């Protein structure tokens, strides 16, 4: 038993070592990757379920590294957060998203672009200043920007955040809660915070039609959101049955592979042209 334990430990620590080595390698590779232009945004369309019109897109960061190949944001965002590189990345994301929004707004007025804001980025003392700067420099219509925050980010320093969120609202940008239902359990913040929309996490949408608990949760989220005059966006919609369920319950908007996967900026330009009014 003793020997097994030791072998188990060795295996474990070897694995840990590999994880750590990749982490350190990615961390070191990021800065160079940014300089080489390896980071860029993809855009996933969002649809209005009542008017059946395109409403906008969520910007999703991609890293196509010469060294590591395609690295997913689920892997590199947490690393960037812990080493502080998220400040540079977050800046790039904001600027790029705004520049695209300006371009699309010119032939599809009102199209919105949703941007994911990480906790560390939001907590940076000059976040509001940066936001105002980017809006001014890019000339983006503020109402075409939607910032997505997770519940935990919003709740971390609730008192401070409420002021920051109010300041963002005064700039004219929209605010939404990402991954709703997976994080903080208190719902109290919803009535105090100047939020426009909540996004039902895709973990509830996945089993929507096969799991009655998930169906009940999704239904409850939609009706609660509507009572609070918040818009609801469902993410991760992949099939007809899920869409039917959401349309039946008056969910406002949806995104997911059913409509389209995230795509490059030029491809989304084509997509917007295809679905803009003649
Ligand atoms: P998220 O904000 O929840 O983004 C939605 C994720 O679901 C995206 O993964 C998207 O590609 C994926 N997805 C879209 N439709 C479907 C579907 O129908 N089925 C399934 N199974 N998945 C779908 P992605 O692009 O890999 O991003 C993962 C996470 O990384 C994001 O989750 C977000 O938390 C983070 N992230 C991505 N871009 C950024 C960014 O620019 N800044 C920050 N701070 N975080 C980002
Ligand atoms: Ca998101
Ligand atoms: Ca989400
Ligand atoms: Ca999610």
């Amino acid at each position: 038993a003793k020997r097994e334990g030791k072998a188990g430990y060795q295996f474990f620590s070897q694995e840990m070592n590999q994880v750590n080595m990749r982490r350190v390698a990615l961390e070191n590779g990021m800065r160079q990757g940014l300089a080489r232009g390896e980071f860029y945004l993809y855009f996933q369309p969002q649809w209005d379920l009542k008017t059946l019109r395109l409403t906008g897109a969520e910007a999703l960061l991609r890293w196509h590294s010469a060294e590591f190949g395609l690295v997913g944001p689920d892997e590199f965002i947490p690393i960037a957060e812990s080493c502080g590189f998220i400040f540079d990345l977050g800046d790039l994301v904001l600027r790029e998203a705004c520049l695209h929004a300006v371009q699309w707004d010119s032939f599809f007025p009102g199209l919105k672009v949703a941007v994911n804001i990480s906790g560390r980025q939001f907590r940076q003392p000059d976040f509001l200043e940066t936001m105002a700067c980017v809006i001014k420099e890019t000339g983006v219509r503020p109402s075409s920007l939607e910032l997505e925050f997770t519940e935990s980010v919003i709740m971390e320093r609730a008192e401070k955040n409420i002021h920051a969120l109010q300041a963002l609202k005064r700039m004219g940008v929209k605010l939404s809660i990402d991954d709703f239902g997976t994080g903080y359990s208190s719902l109290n913040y919803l009535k105090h915070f100047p939020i426009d929309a909540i996004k039902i996490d895709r973990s509830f949408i996945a089993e929507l039609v096969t799991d009655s608990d998930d169906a009940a949760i999704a239904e409850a989220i939609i009706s609660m959101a509507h009572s609070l005059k918040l818009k609801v966006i469902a993410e991760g919609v992949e099939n007809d049955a899920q869409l039917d369920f959401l349309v039946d319950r008056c969910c406002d908007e949806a995104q997911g592979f059913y409509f389209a996967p995230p795509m490059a900026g030029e491809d989304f330009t084509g997509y917007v042209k295809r679905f803009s009014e003649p």
Side-chain angles (χ1 to χ4, degrees):
K2 211 173 179 182
R3 229 196 290 154
E4 254 173 46
K6 196 168 177 204
Y9 171 74
Q10 269 173 3
F11 174 73
F12 179 71
S13 66
Q14 245 172 38
E15 206 173 41
M16 285 303 287
N17 248 332
Q18 267 166 24
V19 170
N20 271 327
M21 275 165 62
R22 177 164 166 93
R23 204 186 151 89
V24 170
L26 289 177
E27 191 178 313
N28 292 331
M30 276 181 191
R31 213 155 280 280
Q32 200 179 13
L34 186 71
R36 285 187 186 147
E38 292 178 349
F39 288 92
Y40 51 89
L41 291 176
Y42 259 35
F43 297 90
Q44 184 172 42
Q46 300 178 317
W47 283 83
D48 188 305
L49 298 183
K50 292 187 183 105
T51 61
L52 298 177
R53 291 199 67 202
L54 183 67
T55 58
E58 176 175 4
L60 294 158
L61 192 55
R62 296 292 177 259
W63 180 16
H64 201 159
S65 160
E67 211 178 332
F68 306 100
L70 265 180
V71 188
D74 277 331
E75 184 175 18
F76 71 74
I77 294 279
I79 299 174
E81 276 233 303
S82 72
C83 70
F85 189 60
I86 194 69
F87 302 136
D88 293 318
L89 275 187
D91 253 32
L92 171 107
V93 168
L94 270 178
R95 272 170 214 284
E96 287 293 307
C98 288
L99 290 173
H100 277 102
V102 168
Q103 184 201 345
W104 295 324
D105 193 60
S106 68
F107 54 88
F108 195 120
L111 196 86
K112 70 177 190 202
V113 175
V115 179
N116 292 285
I117 304 295
S118 93
R120 194 138 176 224
Q121 188 184 1
F122 183 46
R123 287 193 301 274
Q124 204 182 13
D126 64 359
F127 179 73
L128 290 173
E129 215 175 299
T130 303
M131 203 60 232
C133 242
V134 173
I135 290 173
K136 197 166 159 215
E137 281 168 22
T138 58
V140 70
R141 191 204 303 258
S143 62
S144 62
L145 264 191
E146 183 159 291
L147 305 184
E148 300 190 1
F149 301 90
T150 61
E151 290 173 291
S152 48
V153 165
I154 294 249
M155 292 309 295
E156 242 154 20
R157 315 167 309 167
E159 281 308 311
K160 262 193 176 153
N161 287 345
I162 207 161
H163 296 295
L165 295 173
Q166 279 161 351
L168 289 169
K169 284 299 309 177
R170 281 195 298 273
M171 291 180 202
V173 304
K174 299 199 171 90
L175 308 173
S176 65
I177 307 288
D178 202 0
D179 303 341
F180 188 80
T182 61
Y184 216 79
S185 53
S186 164
L187 296 175
N188 195 36
Y189 75 93
L190 285 178
K191 72 174 187 200
H192 296 299
F193 286 37
I195 294 153
D196 300 285
I198 61 186
K199 300 188 74 175
I200 308 179
D201 189 66
R202 67 174 189 274
S203 61
F204 299 116
I205 305 299
E207 305 289 314
L208 198 56
V209 272
T210 45
D211 184 322
S212 59
D213 293 332
D214 286 344
I217 290 171
E219 208 168 326
I221 292 176
I222 295 169
S223 73
M224 179 197 62
H226 285 163
S227 314
L228 296 171
K229 309 241 171 346
L230 301 172
K231 207 175 61 180
V232 192
I233 305 166
E235 56 177 31
V237 175
E238 293 182 354
N239 58 49
D240 269 317
Q242 293 163 336
L243 183 62
D244 286 347
F245 180 100
L246 293 164
V247 170
D248 274 355
R249 271 75 175 180
C250 301
C251 181
D252 302 280
E253 292 182 22
Q255 67 184 87
F257 299 156
Y258 177 84
F259 300 99
M263 58 187 91
E266 313 91 87
D267 294 330
F268 187 67
T269 299
Y271 192 89
V272 175
K273 286 188 170 148
R274 189 141 66 89
F275 292 110
S276 51
E277 309 271 274

